[in-house]
Amino acid sequence: MHETTKWTDYRVTLKDRIVEKAFLFFAEHGIKAVKMDDIARSLGISKRTLYEIYDNKEDLLTEVMLRQQRIEGETLRSLASRCSNVMEILLNIYYHKTESMRNTNPQFFLDLEKYPNVLKMLKADHEKTHEEFMNFMARGVKEGYFRPDVDYELVGQMLEAFSEYFQQKHLFKKYTLRSIFLNNVFITIRGVSTQKGINLLERLLQRAESSHVS
């Protein structure tokens, strides 16, 4: 019984190590360039052991993306809990996203398109994301930073449509995430903001940008 428990614990720990290492490799080199052999070798395990846990690369990629979704959700909730208003949350998300994407090879996003089942799984998370967006905008209205006369359901659909266009047209090869935020997301936020919201957003952006440059 004790040996069985030890073996189970080892496999759970090993799964975590495999997923973490696979994410780092995929982000740095792209998905296609990384072989299962590469991951096994980097962890000092046999390819057979790796395949006993994950049947193929798509299964492993699915686990990687689920893990990243979970970590990203926890990180954003933690960021939000430390902010006093929606504009501060937005700025924190902006810098978190741009920093986390800094070391991600654009090839990763190109390769992701070759795994429709993984993309379908990611899209299934839309309802939860949409609900969080609507709650965020409602909080902004309550705080007086966002206008109460805006159809935020429509705004959310427009931002989602742009996100899909961004992926389909491979704009990540031409534009940085920072540029996308400054020229799309923040312009949209300015458009739905009250004067109070615009003033605060400008101050926070100015402060954050000058701090970022220095």
Side-chain angles (χ1 to χ4, degrees):
M1 184 70 167
H2 180 63
E3 288 300 318
T4 302
T5 303
K6 279 181 65 178
W7 173 241
T8 302
D9 290 345
Y10 169 75
R11 284 179 67 89
V12 169
T13 303
L14 182 57
K15 281 187 71 171
D16 289 341
R17 289 174 58 213
I18 290 169
V19 171
E20 185 176 357
K21 180 64 71 173
F23 168 70
L24 293 174
F25 275 21
F26 291 157
E28 183 178 357
H29 305 290
I31 302 164
K32 185 179 178 182
V34 178
K35 309 300 180 188
M36 296 290 269
D37 278 359
D38 300 328
I39 297 169
R41 195 179 305 114
S42 70
L43 292 168
I45 62 175
S46 68
K47 189 167 68 169
R48 177 180 175 181
T49 299
L50 179 57
Y51 276 110
E52 283 176 354
I53 298 174
Y54 295 104
D55 289 338
N56 51 60
K57 191 194 283 188
E58 185 165 9
D59 285 349
L60 176 54
L61 178 62
T62 299
E63 281 293 317
V64 166
M65 299 310 291
L66 284 171
R67 173 184 179 270
Q68 286 311 112
Q69 277 187 324
R70 186 179 68 255
I71 291 175
E72 189 72 2
E74 291 170 356
T75 301
L76 295 182
R77 282 190 292 274
S78 175
L79 285 174
S81 70
R82 299 197 297 267
C83 298
S84 59
N85 59 65
V86 291
M87 293 305 186
E88 287 184 2
I89 293 173
L90 194 63
L91 262 293
N92 273 281
I93 290 174
Y94 162 52
Y95 278 105
H96 166 69
K97 290 285 189 183
T98 51
E99 193 60 36
S100 63
M101 292 292 288
R102 188 188 299 275
N103 298 318
T104 302
N105 189 331
Q107 189 62 43
F108 172 82
F109 300 104
L110 291 170
D111 292 345
L112 198 57
E113 295 176 2
K114 300 179 178 70
Y115 297 90
N117 290 333
V118 177
L119 290 176
K120 186 177 178 182
M121 177 204 72
L122 294 175
K123 200 163 186 178
D125 196 50
H126 161 68
E127 283 188 18
K128 182 181 176 183
T129 305
H130 181 71
E131 183 181 347
E132 289 173 349
F133 170 80
M134 294 300 291
N135 290 338
F136 178 80
M137 303 313 285
R139 174 178 169 177
V141 170
K142 188 176 180 181
E143 291 176 349
Y145 296 113
F146 297 152
R147 292 166 50 181
D149 59 340
V150 173
D151 185 344
Y152 290 106
E153 187 77 36
L154 178 57
V155 172
Q157 289 182 24
M158 289 169 61
L159 287 171
E160 184 187 344
F162 176 78
S163 179
E164 290 182 3
Y165 181 83
F166 176 76
Q167 176 71 27
Q168 289 168 3
K169 296 299 182 180
H170 302 158
L171 296 185
F172 48 79
K173 294 168 68 176
K174 186 176 181 181
Y175 301 102
T176 63
L177 193 61
R178 178 176 180 273
S179 180
I180 293 298
F181 259 94
L182 293 177
N183 294 284
N184 181 265
V185 178
F186 284 130
I187 286 177
T188 301
I189 292 298
R190 281 190 182 95
V192 303
S193 293
T194 61
Q195 192 58 51
K196 171 186 172 182
I198 292 172
N199 292 342
L200 178 58
L201 180 62
E202 292 293 344
R203 287 200 305 274
L204 290 174
L205 263 177
Q206 231 176 22
R207 187 190 310 158
E209 286 293 301
S210 61
S211 170
H212 186 66
V213 170
S214 60

